[in-house]
């Protein structure tokens, strides 16, 4: 009886206690969890992650302490209560204490971001010097204030002082051996992405940070799924106090021999609103360094070119260029949800070029007598090329709500070109003939495109899906009139065998359509890992027509059916990828596999319908790994694989006789090539020593490489022609490495820089149906200290040693070994205490071996300028420049192909003078704000609208 009473009592008490638990809908209840995971992120007021912050979590029964990782993230596991207090502390920031009340039934709590404010009291007492260079995922970031430049300097002058940067006199930028292809301002594409226009016009004193980003595209930035090869993008972020204001820069110059230049730069900045206008007009000499508008030195030494280079002013031609046109750029925040970026650019160029070259072209393999296997040639040409282009780009980002995002990007490009050229080529050796040509062509190339990208974020953190559709169409219309006179000689004598005239009119239309659709899905597994799925279809269709006509003496055109062609083909590439990714504090790892089925099909409409259809399949790995010791040291390795379809000339089976002595016939049985690429990078910036170490190795292997087969065929006059055919071959690969070592001394007054590259490439081709190997070795070493011992002297000596060796398996007698030593110096000298009077200079001397003595000039090129700045803010500058004082700007550029060596001589009339006036006006009104509060910023410099 006691036992029964006890059991009833326990049952009653249990029911009473159970009744105290709040009911769930439907009358059910859910007991509290025993433990849970709590995570969050800590940022500063500029939206940068705060690394190493101390985070303390305290409940009623226990407490735990951790620190934030390299991304500012902290994680607590096995937390017993959903009610707790978070305390965050870090040197230089005000402590933050927050009480958190959460749902006790949620197993994983992801807290809202914690934003720390700087502690002015701490900063006044302690100066914390952050590193000048920070290495982030896919980004190298420089703090611009650590690189001192003169007043009114432009961005390119800051870049020249940064480790791993090389800036050409034409405004091109190379970072750690890789070319920068696009520029952004505060995360928005600027001036249509034109790098030179941006860095030669934007003032240096507005720059807060310079970022070099491996950009995989907007979709990859939002989804985290990286596909294909990245694009090097330069992102300029402005200082907070230089983000609202106006800039006016105007430059006008006039020189002898009808040389002139003018540029107008207008810029309005107001947070995310950017309005810019750049107008440019100039008439310059080909083969001479661009004068620019930046007020820097008059050109600078660059690495040697393919042969006797050594000064970046060498272009391989003489003549003149007249170019100009406006570019208008605009970006803004339209309300809270829409951001827009757009640009329009018009450019015209009238280029009169003069080229003088000589070389050799060989055909037979391993012959003892070069005269029996080699053509020796001398070629001269003069051309007038007039081109006009219109470019329009627009991008709208629409944040529909917190879970849905839409991006729309239309583009329009229209180009027209009119070319007139006169050429002569004199051949001896294996073939003795003269060729005189007069060609006139007109090209019209309109293209239109658009992109639509949609992303949906689920309630579960990091789970998302996205769709993307790209469409582009481009049409090229080309009319070409060719009048060629070929004189045949008897062997080595001057006896004329035949004088042949070929007068033809060729009409080509090429229509290209590209449609790409992509679907991605990301499923997080844990707080540090996820599975990624991507499926895409990329269709490229080509409609091509080519009609060739003979032009009779009376001007009548007679169509040649055998040389006319209508050929349509398409290439469809599908990708199905499954990837596992881990993002840990110290490393990131992606492993997966991609199936790549492709289909190449074509139809020859002319001369009877002939259709071919071939399918291929590749299975390639996904492999990316990055190890991060700190924000200043990282190592990464990345593999990519991409197919490449043949071009129209390579696949169409009808002869192209644009060049009568070098006809081209395609191969409809070609397979698409497939390129495997492995890129390895290492970066380390030792902040205490101001020492930067960078290195990368790029390895590329191509399967089914589409190569040329140069075959000798007889012509109608008893001589022979060189017919170009195409085949698939394996065995093409290359390995290229770059390194950079820079050491800053005496508070950056001295910068010691040693960098270089080494490359090996093996190229497979065919000569007369026999496999031909060409191996190229390249070694380039550069030592260039930059010295600013005081505020009045800047001295930058420069030494380059370059070796380029080429080995031809089919004709060892034509092997080349070009060695160049270039010694250069540039600098500035301020002649007054207030640094308003400036003298600048640039000089380079080359020493070349391996090129015939009658070509090698070993030029000494000296440029100089003197300028004076006026008014308190130095808003007006007057400059006098002289280029190539000694009139020695003569260079030889050597280019090797699978069966030829060509030396092009630059003999520009390059000594000239230029007098210019430049005005520079700026007005700033502070940091952007809304409702009296300063706007916070993202890591790319863009502002967060409330």
């Amino acid at each position: 009886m006691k036992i029964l009473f006890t059991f009833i009592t326990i049952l009653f008490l249990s029911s009473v206690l159970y009744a105290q638990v709040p009911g769930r809908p439907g009358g059910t209840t859910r007991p509290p969890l025993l433990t849970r995971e709590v995570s969050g992120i800590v940022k500063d007021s500029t939206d940068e992650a705060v690394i190493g912050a101390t985070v303390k979590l305290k409940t009623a029964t226990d407490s735990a302490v951790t620190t934030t990782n390299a991304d500012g993230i902290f994680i607590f596991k096995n937390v017993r209560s959903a009610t707790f207090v978070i305390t965050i502390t870090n040197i230089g920031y005000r402590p933050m204490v927050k009480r958190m009340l959460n749902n006790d039934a949620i197993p994983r709590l992801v807290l809202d971001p914690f934003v720390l404010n700087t502690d002015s009291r701490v900063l006044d007492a302690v100066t914390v010097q952050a590193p000048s260079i920070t290495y982030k995922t896919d980004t190298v970031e420089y703090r611009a204030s650590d690189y001192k430049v003169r007043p009114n300097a432009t961005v390119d002058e800051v870049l020249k002082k940064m480790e791993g940067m090389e800036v050409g006199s034409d405004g091109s930028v190379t970072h750690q051996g890789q070319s920068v292809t696009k520029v952004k301002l505060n995360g928005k594409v600027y001036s249509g992405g034109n790098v030179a226009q941006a860095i030669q016009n934007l003032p240096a004193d507005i720059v807060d940070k310079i970022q070099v980003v491996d950009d995989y595209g907007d979709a990859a930035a939002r989804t985290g799924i990286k596909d294909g090869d990245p694009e090097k993008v330069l992102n300029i972020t402005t200082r907070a106090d230089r983000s609202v204001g106006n800039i006016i820069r105007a430059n006008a110059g006039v020189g002898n021999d009808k040389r002139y230049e003018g540029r107008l730069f207008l810029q309005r900045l107001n947070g995310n609103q950017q309005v810019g206008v750049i107008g440019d007009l100039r008439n310059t000499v080909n083969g001479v360094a661009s004068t620019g508008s930046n007020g820097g030195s008059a050109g600078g030494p660059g690495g040697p070119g393919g042969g006797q280079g050594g000064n970046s002013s060498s272009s391989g031609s003489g003549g003149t260029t007249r170019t100009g046109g406006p570019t208008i750029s605009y970006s803004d925040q339209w309300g809270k949800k829409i951001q827009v970026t757009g640009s329009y650019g018009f450019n015209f160029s009238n280029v009169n070029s003069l080229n003088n070259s000589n070389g050799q072209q060989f055909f037979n393999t391993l012959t003892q007598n070069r005269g029996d296997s080699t053509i020796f040639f001398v070629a001269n040409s003069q051309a007038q090329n007039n081109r006009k282009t219109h470019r329009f780009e627009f991008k709208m980002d629409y944040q529909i709500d917190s879970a849905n995002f839409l991006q729309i990007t239309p583009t329009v490009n229209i180009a027209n070109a009119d070319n007139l050229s006169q050429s002569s080529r004199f051949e001896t050796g294996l073939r003795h003939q003269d060729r005189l040509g007069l060609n006139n062509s007109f090209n019209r190339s309109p293209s239109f495109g658009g992109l639509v990208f949609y992303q949906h974020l689920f309630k579960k953190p990091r789970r998302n899906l996205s769709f993307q559709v790209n469409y582009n169409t481009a049409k090229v219309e080309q009319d070409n009139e060719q009048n060629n006179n070929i004189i045949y000689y008897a062997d080595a004598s001057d006896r004329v065998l035949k004088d042949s005239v070929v007068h033809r009119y060729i009409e080509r239309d090429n229509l290209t359509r590209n449609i790409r659709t992509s679907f991605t899905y990301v499923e997080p597994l844990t707080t540090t890992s996820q599975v990624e799925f991507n499926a895409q279809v990329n269709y490229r269709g080509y409609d091509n027509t080519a009609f060739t006509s003979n032009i009779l003496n009376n001007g009548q055109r007679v169509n040649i059916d055998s040389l006319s062609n209508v050929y349509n083909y398409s290439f469809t590439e599908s990708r199905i990828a499954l990837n596992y990714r881990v993002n840990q504090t110290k490393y990131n790892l992606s492993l997966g596999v991609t199936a790549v089925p492709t289909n190449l099909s074509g139809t020859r409409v002319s001369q009877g319908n002939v259709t071919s259809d071939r399918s291929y399949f590749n299975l390639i790995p996904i492999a990316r790994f990055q190890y991060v010791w700190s924000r200043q040291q990282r190592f990464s390795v990345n593999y990519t694989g991409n197919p490449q379809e043949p071009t129209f000339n390579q696949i169409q089976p009808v002869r192209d006789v644009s060049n009568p002595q070098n006809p081209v016939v395609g191969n409809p049985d070609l397979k698409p090539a497939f390129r495997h690429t492995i890129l390895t990078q290492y970066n380390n910036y030792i902040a205490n020593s101001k020492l930067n170490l960078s290195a990368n190795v790029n390895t590329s292997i191509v399967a089914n490489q589409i190569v040329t087969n140069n075959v000798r065929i007889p012509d109608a006059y008893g001589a022979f022609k060189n017919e170009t055919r195409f085949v698939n071959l394996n065995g093409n690969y290359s390995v290229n490495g770059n390194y950079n070592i820079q050491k800053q001394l005496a508070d950056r007054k001295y910068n010691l820089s040693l960098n270089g590259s080494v490359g090996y490439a093996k190229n497979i081709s065919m000569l007369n149906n026999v496999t031909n190997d060409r191996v190229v070795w390249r070694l380039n070493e550069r030592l260039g200290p930059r010295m600013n011992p005081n505020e009045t002297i800047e001295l930058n000596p420069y030494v380059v040693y370059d070796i380029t060796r080429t080995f031809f398996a089919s004709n060892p007698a034509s092997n080349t070994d070009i060695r160049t030593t270039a010694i250069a110096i540039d600098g500035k000298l301020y002649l007054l205490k207030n640094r308003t009077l400036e003298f600048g200079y640039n000089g380079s001397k080359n020493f070349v071996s391996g090129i015939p003595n009658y070509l090698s000039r070993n030029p000494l090129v000296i440029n100089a300028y003197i300028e004076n700045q006026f008014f308190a803010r130095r808003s007006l500058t007057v400059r006098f420049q002289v280029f190539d004082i000694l009139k020695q700007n003569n260079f030889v550029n050597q280019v090797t192909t699978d069966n030829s060596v060509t030396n092009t001589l630059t003999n520009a009339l390059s000594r000239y003078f230029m007098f210019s006036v430049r005005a520079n006006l700026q007005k700033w009104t502070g940091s952007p704000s809304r409702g009296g509060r300063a706007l916070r910023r993202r890591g790319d410099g863009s502002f967060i609208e409330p």
Side-chain angles (χ1 to χ4, degrees):
M1 193 70 173
K2 291 182 179 181
I3 295 175
L4 180 60
F5 176 80
T6 302
F7 175 78
I8 294 174
T9 302
I10 293 174
L11 184 63
F12 174 78
L13 292 175
S14 299
S15 64
V16 171
L17 291 174
Y18 184 80
Q20 305 306 312
V21 180
R24 301 178 67 191
T28 62
T29 60
R30 182 172 182 176
L33 294 169
L34 296 178
T35 61
R36 61 201 42 78
E37 179 183 274
V38 178
S39 64
I41 186 171
V42 180
K43 300 182 179 182
D44 60 18
S45 58
T46 66
D47 203 45
E48 289 286 339
V50 178
I51 303 171
T54 301
V55 184
K56 183 177 181 179
L57 184 149
K58 185 176 182 180
T59 68
T61 57
D62 57 10
S63 63
V65 179
T66 188
T67 58
T68 56
N69 64 15
D71 297 315
I73 297 173
F74 64 87
I75 300 174
F76 291 100
K77 296 184 178 181
N78 301 322
V79 178
R80 296 182 179 179
S81 174
T83 299
F84 48 80
V85 175
I86 290 285
T87 303
I88 303 175
T89 58
N90 197 36
I91 296 176
Y93 297 94
R94 297 176 184 174
M96 174 177 287
V97 180
K98 279 193 174 183
R99 182 176 179 83
M100 315 299 295
L101 302 174
N102 299 283
N103 190 332
D104 208 37
I106 298 177
R108 184 179 291 114
L109 298 175
V110 179
L111 308 179
D112 291 336
F114 296 88
V115 180
L116 300 183
N117 296 316
T118 57
D119 190 344
S120 58
R121 295 170 300 173
V122 176
L123 292 178
D124 290 340
V126 179
T127 300
V128 180
Q129 184 65 32
S132 303
I133 305 176
T134 301
Y135 290 102
K136 304 178 180 180
T137 302
D138 298 329
T139 302
V140 183
E141 184 176 273
Y142 298 82
R143 190 171 61 247
S145 60
D146 287 350
Y147 303 90
K148 306 301 180 183
V149 293
R150 67 187 182 91
N152 290 335
T154 45
V155 172
D156 59 335
E157 296 186 57
V158 180
L159 296 178
K160 291 177 182 178
K161 295 178 178 292
M162 292 179 170
E163 295 86 344
M165 294 281 194
E166 295 182 39
V167 182
S169 59
D170 59 352
S172 59
V173 177
T174 301
H175 182 256
Q176 295 179 3
Q178 296 178 290
S179 297
V180 175
T181 59
K182 185 184 294 184
V183 67
K184 294 182 177 181
L185 181 64
N186 289 335
K188 306 295 186 299
V189 175
Y190 181 74
S191 184
N194 189 300
V195 177
Q197 283 190 344
I199 68 173
Q200 291 183 345
N201 286 286
L202 287 170
D205 60 1
I206 73 171
V207 180
D208 178 38
K209 298 174 183 177
I210 294 290
Q211 298 174 334
V212 182
V213 183
D214 290 333
D215 190 356
Y216 291 85
D218 291 343
R222 297 190 67 89
T223 64
I225 299 180
K226 302 171 184 178
D227 179 54
D229 298 320
E231 182 180 21
K232 280 287 183 183
V233 174
L234 185 76
N235 184 44
I236 303 169
T237 70
T238 58
R239 291 165 42 186
D241 61 342
R242 289 292 190 272
S243 296
V244 178
N246 303 287
I247 307 169
I248 301 176
R249 295 175 67 93
N251 182 75
V254 62
N256 61 315
D257 293 338
K258 299 181 180 180
R259 297 173 178 86
Y260 55 83
E261 65 178 10
R263 178 170 293 183
L264 178 65
F265 174 77
L266 308 175
Q267 180 69 56
R268 165 66 178 170
L269 293 176
N270 186 6
N272 287 325
Q273 184 187 74
Q274 303 173 12
V275 182
V277 178
I278 301 176
D280 182 69
L281 179 66
R282 64 178 59 205
N283 185 42
T284 58
V285 174
N286 300 344
V288 181
S290 170
T291 60
S293 63
N294 50 19
S297 60
Q308 191 189 329
N311 190 293
S312 56
S313 65
S314 175
S315 68
S317 71
T320 59
T321 296
R322 187 168 70 95
T323 184
T327 299
I328 303 171
S329 59
Y330 171 78
S331 64
D332 200 0
Q333 180 91 23
W334 291 355
K336 295 182 179 181
K337 296 185 177 183
I338 297 178
Q339 287 189 353
V340 296
T341 302
S343 69
Y344 166 76
F346 168 75
N347 178 265
F348 75 89
S349 64
N350 299 327
V351 181
N352 178 268
S353 59
L354 302 170
N355 282 279
N356 302 296
S357 61
N358 61 58
Q360 51 189 286
Q361 187 177 14
F362 49 88
F363 294 90
N364 293 344
T365 58
L366 302 176
T367 59
Q368 298 298 321
N369 189 345
R370 295 181 67 192
D372 293 338
S373 64
T374 304
I375 294 176
F376 302 90
F377 64 87
V378 175
N380 304 291
S381 67
Q382 180 175 356
Q384 180 66 44
N385 304 305
N386 301 327
R387 184 177 179 86
K388 296 179 181 179
T389 59
H390 299 266
R391 184 192 70 253
F392 171 77
E393 297 178 353
F394 183 80
K395 182 174 71 172
M396 182 186 72
D397 294 342
Y398 178 30
Q399 190 69 55
I400 302 172
D401 52 40
S402 60
N404 298 282
F405 171 82
L406 178 67
Q407 181 183 94
I408 301 175
T409 307
T411 60
V412 177
N413 289 277
I414 299 175
N416 297 317
D418 187 4
N419 306 313
L420 176 63
S421 64
Q422 185 173 0
S423 63
S424 61
R425 180 182 172 99
F426 308 98
E427 297 180 346
T428 57
L430 179 61
R431 183 171 62 192
H432 188 192
Q433 61 183 223
D434 300 341
R435 297 211 303 268
L436 306 176
L438 180 63
N439 297 302
N440 187 13
S441 66
F442 175 78
N443 299 275
R444 186 174 185 272
S445 308
S447 63
F448 309 92
L451 177 150
V452 177
F453 172 76
Y454 169 77
Q455 183 186 37
H456 175 74
L457 304 178
F458 294 90
K459 292 184 178 180
K460 183 177 181 179
R462 303 201 327 275
R463 176 189 288 170
N464 69 89
L465 63 82
S466 63
F467 300 92
Q468 181 171 305
V469 178
N470 301 65
Y471 176 77
N472 293 280
T473 179
K475 186 175 183 179
V476 179
E477 301 173 356
Q478 182 184 63
D479 293 342
N480 186 8
E481 181 180 352
Q482 300 180 346
N483 195 342
N484 295 285
N485 183 20
I486 306 173
I487 303 174
Y488 297 83
Y489 295 92
D491 300 326
S493 69
D494 292 331
R495 183 167 59 91
V496 176
L497 293 178
K498 180 71 176 178
D499 190 343
S500 171
V501 176
V502 180
H503 195 185
R504 285 176 175 158
Y505 197 88
I506 302 173
E507 299 172 272
R508 287 193 178 94
D509 287 338
N510 305 99
L511 177 64
T512 302
R513 296 179 303 275
N514 179 209
I515 303 173
R516 178 180 179 271
T517 61
S518 175
F519 166 79
T520 64
Y521 177 76
V522 178
E523 176 63 34
L525 302 178
T526 67
T527 56
T528 59
S529 65
Q530 62 191 44
V531 172
E532 303 167 347
F533 173 77
N534 174 258
Q536 59 180 274
V537 177
N538 194 346
Y539 169 85
R540 294 187 285 272
Y542 306 89
D543 295 343
N544 307 278
T545 61
F547 298 102
T548 302
S549 303
N550 275 330
I551 300 179
L552 305 181
N553 293 334
N554 59 5
Q556 181 182 358
R557 298 180 193 172
V558 179
N559 186 62
I560 307 174
D561 292 336
S562 62
L563 299 181
S564 299
N565 187 30
V566 178
Y567 194 91
N568 306 323
Y569 72 102
S570 65
F571 182 74
T572 304
E573 171 194 352
S574 302
R575 283 178 175 258
I576 303 174
L578 185 63
N579 179 48
Y580 172 74
R581 183 150 66 102
V582 179
N583 294 319
Q584 293 286 357
T585 303
K586 289 293 185 181
Y587 68 88
N588 299 326
L589 174 65
S590 291
L591 291 175
V593 64
T594 302
V596 188
T598 58
N599 177 265
L600 180 64
S601 62
T603 300
R604 178 159 53 108
V605 179
S606 58
Q607 303 174 23
N609 287 337
V610 179
T611 302
S612 63
D613 189 286
R614 299 182 303 280
S615 298
Y616 307 92
F617 181 82
N618 291 279
L619 196 64
I620 62 174
I622 297 174
R624 293 186 179 92
F625 175 75
Q626 182 180 75
Y627 190 85
V628 180
W629 288 271
S630 67
R631 298 190 73 178
Q632 284 72 52
Q633 186 179 15
R634 69 176 183 181
F635 168 83
S636 65
V637 58
N638 183 24
Y639 165 85
T640 58
N642 292 294
Q644 180 63 53
E645 75 274 19
T647 65
F648 171 65
N649 285 338
Q650 293 170 340
I651 201 172
Q652 62 92 18
V654 175
R655 275 192 180 85
D656 177 359
V657 291
S658 302
N659 183 342
Q661 293 302 97
N662 187 19
V664 178
V665 58
N667 178 5
D669 295 325
L670 285 177
K671 303 175 183 178
F674 199 95
R675 181 179 296 274
H676 305 269
T677 303
I678 300 175
L679 177 61
T680 304
Q681 295 179 309
Y682 173 77
N683 305 103
N684 187 11
Y685 179 67
I686 305 174
N688 294 336
S689 302
K690 291 185 172 62
L691 175 65
N692 185 71
L693 307 173
S694 300
N696 65 72
V697 177
N698 192 327
T699 302
S700 178
I701 302 173
V702 183
N704 289 325
Q705 175 71 51
I706 300 171
V707 302
T708 59
N709 179 18
N710 293 288
V711 179
R712 290 173 54 185
I713 61 173
D715 62 12
Y717 305 107
F720 73 91
K721 300 179 181 180
N722 174 36
E723 184 173 271
T724 299
R725 304 172 184 174
F726 302 95
V727 295
N728 290 108
L729 290 177
N730 292 317
N732 281 266
Y733 63 89
S734 64
V735 180
N736 295 282
N738 294 275
Y739 74 91
N740 180 275
I741 303 172
Q742 287 192 287
K743 168 70 174 175
Q744 306 276 1
L745 300 171
D747 194 24
R748 299 187 182 277
K749 292 181 179 180
Y750 302 93
N751 179 5
L752 304 180
S753 175
L754 175 65
N755 56 80
S757 62
V758 59
Y760 174 86
K762 183 180 179 182
N763 300 300
I764 305 295
S765 64
M766 298 192 78
L767 289 176
N768 287 322
N769 300 313
V770 178
T771 302
N772 173 46
D773 294 351
R774 177 169 63 100
V775 173
V776 180
W777 278 96
R778 176 76 186 272
L779 175 67
N780 185 281
E781 296 295 329
R782 288 157 286 176
L783 175 63
R786 305 183 67 90
M787 296 177 283
N788 296 91
N790 53 53
E791 293 186 352
T792 62
I793 298 176
E794 179 177 324
L795 185 64
N796 308 310
Y798 199 78
V799 180
V800 178
Y801 182 64
D802 182 271
I803 302 175
T804 302
R805 305 185 68 187
T806 305
F807 301 92
F808 297 95
S810 61
N811 197 333
S814 297
N815 293 347
T816 64
D817 186 352
I818 310 299
R819 303 187 181 217
T820 303
T821 301
I823 301 174
I825 188 171
D826 70 86
K828 302 171 186 176
L829 178 64
Y830 298 96
L831 304 179
L832 299 177
K833 290 184 178 180
N834 59 4
R835 302 180 68 198
T836 58
L837 183 60
E838 176 183 329
F839 171 73
Y841 55 89
N842 160 265
S844 64
K845 175 68 175 179
N846 286 0
F847 301 92
V848 183
S849 64
I851 290 180
N853 293 331
Y854 68 91
L855 289 175
S856 181
R857 305 289 180 88
N858 293 333
L860 172 61
V861 178
I862 300 175
N863 308 314
Y865 70 89
I866 187 168
E867 71 174 30
N868 194 31
Q869 298 177 342
F870 297 91
F871 306 119
R873 296 186 178 181
R874 308 187 183 194
S875 56
L876 182 67
T877 301
V878 177
R879 164 182 283 206
F880 178 75
Q881 295 171 278
V882 56
F883 294 87
D884 192 15
I885 296 174
L886 302 180
K887 202 176 181 179
Q888 295 189 19
N889 188 28
N890 302 293
F891 294 87
V892 174
N893 183 44
Q894 186 176 91
V895 176
T896 63
T897 65
D898 296 322
N899 70 323
S900 69
V901 178
T902 302
N903 300 306
T904 301
L905 176 65
T906 295
N907 189 14
L909 300 176
S910 56
R911 182 168 63 187
Y912 71 99
F913 309 93
M914 180 72 70
F915 177 81
S916 61
V917 178
R918 184 176 69 251
N920 180 27
L921 303 174
Q922 301 183 56
K923 183 178 181 181
W924 304 98
T925 58
S927 302
S929 61
R930 301 291 185 271
R933 299 184 61 181
L935 297 180
R936 295 187 296 118
R937 306 183 74 175
R938 301 180 181 88
D940 62 359
S942 60
F943 292 85
I944 303 174
E945 299 285 344

